[in-house]
Amino acid sequence: MDKTQTSVESTPLSLEDRIRAAAHQLWADEGRPEGLAETHWQRACEMIAQEDEATAPEWMHRETEIVAKIEKTESPTSIGEIKKRLESRAAA
């Protein structure tokens, strides 16, 4: 394997690419039926959303609670500032 191939393989797919791949797999699994592209796309969107929700870090599931606590105690000036603080705390 050359370095080009390795770097391409390690590049994460965009959301649209992930949905496209999942929709294509659904289509193939169902025998490649005609006229169901929109249905497969919608199902793929739902699948990817569920996967992302299941793999999200714990703090993201409690974002509303955390944001409220930060707003109450630290008086941030913007939602952007709150998100930066959340991300820095999650990284720590």
Side-chain angles (χ1 to χ4, degrees):
M1 227 183 279
D2 64 35
K3 289 184 180 184
T4 306
Q5 197 172 20
T6 303
S7 65
V8 169
E9 288 175 2
S10 64
T11 303
L13 294 175
S14 70
L15 177 59
E16 184 175 348
D17 288 340
R18 291 173 60 210
I19 294 168
R20 183 178 293 112
H24 183 270
Q25 188 62 50
L26 289 168
W27 172 73
D29 290 349
E30 292 179 9
R32 304 175 190 267
E34 296 282 329
L36 294 177
E38 193 172 315
T39 300
H40 291 132
W41 187 268
Q42 184 60 39
R43 286 178 44 209
C45 287
E46 292 167 5
M47 287 171 46
I48 297 300
Q50 288 173 354
E51 288 174 10
D52 289 352
E53 178 69 23
T55 60
E58 171 61 28
W59 68 269
M60 290 181 85
H61 294 289
R62 299 183 4 231
E63 184 174 2
T64 304
E65 170 191 332
I66 294 169
V67 168
K69 183 177 180 181
I70 291 172
E71 286 176 334
K72 194 178 212 181
T73 60
E74 298 178 19
S75 303
T77 58
S78 71
I79 238 1
E81 187 178 333
I82 293 170
K83 288 185 177 185
K84 284 180 188 176
R85 289 179 186 175
L86 285 172
E87 290 168 355
S88 67
R89 288 179 183 186

